[in-house]
Amino acid sequence: MSEDAEPVGEPTARPPLPAGVAAVAGAVVATAAVATASIVAFGAAGLGAWVVIVGLVLGRARLVTAGTAVVFSGVLLAGILGAPPLPLLVGAIGTAVVYDAGHYALRLGTQLGRTGSTELVTLVHVGATVAVATGAGFAGYLVFELGAGNQPSSALIALLVAALLFVAALHSS
Amino acid sequence: MSVASEEPPAEGPDEAGEAEGESEADEETEPAPLNVLERHETGHWEIAGFAALLAIGAGVLFSQPALLLVAAVAVGLAAHRQAATQPSPALSMDRSFEPEEFDPGDVIEVETTIRNVGAETLADCRFVDLVPDELSVVEGSPRRATTLRPGQRCTITYAIRVRRGRHTFDGVYAILSNLAGTTEDEYHVGTATELDCVPTARPLQATVLRQLTTPYAGRLTTDKPGEGLEFHATREYRPGDALRRIDWNQYAATGELATLQFRTERSASVVLIADVRRASYVRSNPEDPHAADRVVEAVGRLFVTLLDNDHRAGIATFGPDYWLSPNDGSEHRNRGLEALGAEPALSPAVPEGQYPVRLRVRRLLRRLPEMTQVIICTPLIDEAPETAVQMLESAGHEVTLVSPDPTAMGTPGEIVTALERRRRIRAIHEFGVPVVDWPVGERLDVVIARTVAGWSG
């Protein structure tokens, strides 16, 4: 005694596959990169990856954010325990992809459901994030390496804080 | 039937897609009407600045310069967020149906093409084709997310099962976002497209008419003696009777003059009432059509049958108002069939609001010509049609009921409804009003023939 038409524009909890796969791939990359440096950090990042997967399956944005935070804490932990620059860089980029693709997947899920085709748009969106993150990371890596010997870190700190302030200024204007 | 939306996004950033986009650049470049519905911030990447500060802090506190690289990535993403600009789009939209000829219940393919006719690249567009609620998508998806460069287009292809009536596809709902995904603009793009599905009403073998006729000659055999074809009785000769009507056989046998009488044949004027109130949108099985759909089918078939038999037929409704006064002729026939396909009052969408039958019948009685029969098509699942029968019969209009049976005998609730409906049919029979009870899965022809046979037997 009711309409049996397929719900149109009805939100579904489960996100579309391409973006979900990208998020999980980011989590795996971050976890693997961190694993080369420290077993404790690997544990933290791995736990975060599982939380992200559960969040995606259940369609809960908060779980995805929490999982991303745990993955990020794994990366920070690896850094604190003295991980070399390159694994940290890869870990940071992986974390960025987890956050970006994870939330993007959930939004596409609520807006389009699982059935629409989303490969291209996911590729463009996540691709842009990876490009930006890699570009910024390797620019930092260059400063880090070229600053050889004499206090490279203070130069980089100054640069980063300046950049952050600049970005904040952009926002307020 | 192939559905493009299941393939990788066509017209993507490959050579072929671009060439196609340019070669047809001269057509459909007019921007479609675009209404901004809402803009909202997603809060995406807001966390990046915080992450950067956290990484810098940890790096300084634990004297680990390598952590600053993590901060560099986060700062880059924060900048990505700030640098993102929201596009102001210009889109054109076109929708087509394949095939163009169809009957209710057919599966047809809908193709909605959206083209970026502006100068900006739309990095992230999500489209939802606004399929009418009453239609069901059987293949593919009316939703699509893609990237559109200037001049590029994307096609949303899916298949729907059409139902009778007029269906309005109300443009496309679009969500446009920037590359970083920080802001989402919701738009309504394009104008409505209408899809009319006119049922092809097949005439029935028999009709369910009663004796009330117009004074005009026609094909309904009545009980009144007079001119006609079918023998009725003989009576004694009266001066003035036509010579050809004298019963010469009897004269030869007995020597007395007698006159043959035939059943007069008259044309009837009938108004068919479709009960399409909210209450009629019921069915016992989700695969079955609604009782209201069967009501409209019955009205359509009776309408053409009556016209084929040289009667005058009109259409009225219980529910949203529609009135077609009884008439004949092919123009009238076309008008009636078109109304059954496209008239909003008879559309398959469930009507909003209440329509008290008593008021509708009063208005109907003012409109009904004298000597008009009424056939009410109703599922009979509430008391209202009974009231209508009483009011119409007492006003001198002979009433017949054709009732599609939507009830089932599954749950106790269904059984109660079915029994109540049977009791109602009996009560209406007691007024002397015939009821054609039409179960699901049986042909209307057969049911009517059986009922008519029951009357004469």
Side-chain angles (χ1 to χ4, degrees):
Chain A
M1 297 213 173
S2 65
E3 290 293 312
D4 63 336
E6 177 187 283
V8 173
E10 199 113 306
T12 52
R14 304 181 64 199
L17 216 54
V21 166
V24 174
V28 169
V29 166
T31 310
V34 165
T36 60
S38 145
I39 190 78
V40 181
F42 166 71
L47 178 71
W50 278 112
V51 175
V52 168
I53 292 171
V54 171
L56 283 174
V57 170
L58 297 181
R60 306 284 272 278
R62 287 208 174 153
L63 271 185
V64 171
T65 308
T68 312
V70 177
V71 173
F72 188 65
S73 73
V75 173
L76 286 185
L77 205 60
I80 290 166
L81 297 175
L86 218 53
L88 278 186
L89 199 54
V90 175
I93 295 169
T95 312
V97 171
V98 176
Y99 175 79
D100 187 41
H103 282 276
Y104 194 62
L106 293 183
R107 262 211 309 288
L108 286 185
T110 52
Q111 288 168 359
L112 302 181
R114 291 202 94 192
T115 44
S117 73
T118 55
E119 294 90 352
L120 178 69
V121 81
T122 305
L123 197 70
V124 169
H125 181 87
V126 178
T129 300
V130 170
V132 167
T134 313
F138 275 90
Y141 187 64
L142 229 56
V143 175
F144 190 79
E145 290 291 309
L146 292 182
N150 0 321
Q151 299 303 325
S153 42
S154 51
L156 197 54
I157 290 173
L159 205 64
L160 286 173
V161 171
L164 249 168
L165 288 175
F166 176 64
V167 165
L170 267 182
H171 187 52
S172 53
S173 71
Chain B
M1 214 174 272
S2 79
V3 174
S5 57
E6 284 177 356
E7 299 164 10
E11 290 93 54
D14 54 310
E15 291 303 309
E18 200 163 25
E20 193 179 5
E22 277 164 19
S23 67
E24 291 178 28
D26 49 350
E27 62 172 67
E28 51 163 283
T29 47
E30 279 295 305
L34 199 72
N35 297 320
V36 186
L37 300 175
E38 206 180 321
R39 159 173 289 200
H40 51 88
E41 303 291 328
T42 59
H44 206 51
W45 287 133
E46 257 173 14
I47 208 165
F50 179 68
L53 287 176
L54 208 65
I56 292 174
V60 171
L61 207 63
F62 296 94
S63 317
Q64 290 291 351
L67 272 175
L68 297 179
L69 290 179
V70 176
V73 170
V75 170
L77 290 168
H80 179 45
R81 165 181 153 75
Q82 297 301 341
T85 51
Q86 195 60 10
S88 43
L91 296 166
S92 74
M93 194 210 92
D94 187 48
R95 193 184 274 120
S96 65
F97 303 105
E98 176 70 31
E100 285 174 7
E101 295 287 321
F102 43 80
D103 284 324
D106 284 1
V107 171
I108 66 166
E109 197 169 292
V110 184
E111 233 181 62
T112 305
T113 304
I114 300 150
R115 180 195 284 271
N116 181 2
V117 291
E120 286 175 84
T121 296
L122 308 173
D124 187 344
C125 352
R126 302 158 209 166
F127 299 116
V128 179
D129 204 10
L130 297 172
V131 182
D133 286 343
E134 69 271 11
L135 294 182
S136 53
V137 175
V138 292
E139 205 183 328
S141 168
R143 285 158 277 194
R144 176 104 192 246
T146 191
T147 297
L148 285 181
R149 283 182 296 167
Q152 235 180 11
R153 62 203 172 113
C154 80
T155 309
I156 307 171
T157 313
Y158 53 95
I160 51 166
R161 190 176 296 281
V162 280
R163 295 170 61 189
R164 63 169 179 88
R166 169 165 290 183
H167 311 289
T168 309
F169 286 74
D170 188 18
V172 172
Y173 167 77
I175 299 172
L176 300 184
S177 187
N178 53 41
L179 203 51
T182 56
T183 309
E184 285 175 351
D185 285 341
E186 293 176 31
Y187 293 95
H188 177 265
V189 189
T191 47
T193 319
E194 266 161 8
L195 177 69
D196 283 345
C197 181
V198 180
T200 42
R202 283 160 299 136
L204 300 160
Q205 296 298 319
T207 48
V208 278
L209 285 177
R210 295 179 64 191
Q211 290 295 318
L212 185 68
T213 54
T214 60
Y216 308 109
R219 286 207 220 160
L220 180 69
T221 313
T222 63
D223 281 339
K224 290 175 202 129
E227 308 257 345
L229 291 171
E230 195 182 323
F231 176 75
H232 180 253
T234 57
R235 61 164 167 76
E236 77 282 10
Y237 174 80
R238 290 179 204 147
D241 280 350
L243 270 183
R244 58 189 171 84
R245 285 178 61 196
I246 290 172
D247 188 354
W248 294 109
N249 289 334
Q250 188 172 350
Y251 181 66
T254 63
E256 283 171 23
L257 278 171
T259 304
L260 288 174
Q261 282 190 312
F262 300 90
R263 292 175 186 273
T264 33
E265 297 193 333
R266 291 279 182 260
S267 114
S269 170
V270 184
V271 167
L272 299 155
I273 300 179
D275 183 0
V276 288
R277 289 168 302 140
R278 203 181 177 80
S280 297
Y281 284 82
V282 289
R283 55 186 162 190
S284 49
N285 189 334
E287 271 97 70
D288 293 339
H290 281 136
D293 294 330
R294 295 167 69 205
V295 161
V296 174
E297 184 195 335
V299 167
R301 296 189 70 180
L302 287 167
F303 183 72
V304 292
T305 312
L306 290 169
L307 291 180
D308 281 355
N309 288 310
D310 296 335
H311 299 300
R312 297 155 67 85
I315 300 172
T317 57
F318 291 158
D321 191 33
Y322 176 73
W323 170 249
L324 182 68
S325 59
N327 207 335
D328 51 14
S330 59
E331 195 184 324
H332 179 74
R333 181 196 182 101
N334 289 340
R335 192 180 302 159
L337 287 179
E338 199 170 302
L340 290 169
E343 173 60 38
L346 296 165
S347 83
V350 182
E352 301 292 327
Q354 298 292 318
Y355 297 92
V357 163
R358 198 175 283 272
L359 286 176
R360 301 309 316 275
V361 175
R362 272 197 206 125
R363 176 185 276 189
L364 190 66
L365 284 173
R366 284 201 296 274
R367 283 165 164 175
L368 274 179
E370 268 180 71
M371 312 298 245
T372 300
Q373 296 193 30
V374 174
I375 299 178
I376 305 176
C377 296
T378 169
L380 268 179
I381 50 151
D382 58 5
E383 303 290 341
E386 215 176 311
T387 317
V389 169
Q390 288 175 349
M391 290 172 74
L392 287 164
E393 281 274 332
S394 52
H397 299 283
E398 286 183 344
V399 181
T400 308
L401 257 69
V402 175
S403 177
D405 184 0
T407 59
M409 293 301 249
T411 64
E414 286 172 343
I415 293 173
V416 169
T417 317
L419 292 177
E420 274 185 353
R421 183 169 168 278
R422 280 188 201 166
R423 186 200 54 74
R424 222 163 270 140
I425 291 178
R426 264 202 310 279
I428 292 171
H429 272 151
E430 279 166 17
F431 302 139
V433 170
V435 179
V436 178
D437 191 6
W438 178 22
V440 173
E442 283 206 48
R443 290 179 48 198
L444 186 57
D445 280 58
V446 176
V447 176
I448 287 180
R450 195 168 57 211
T451 313
V452 172
W455 296 342
S456 47

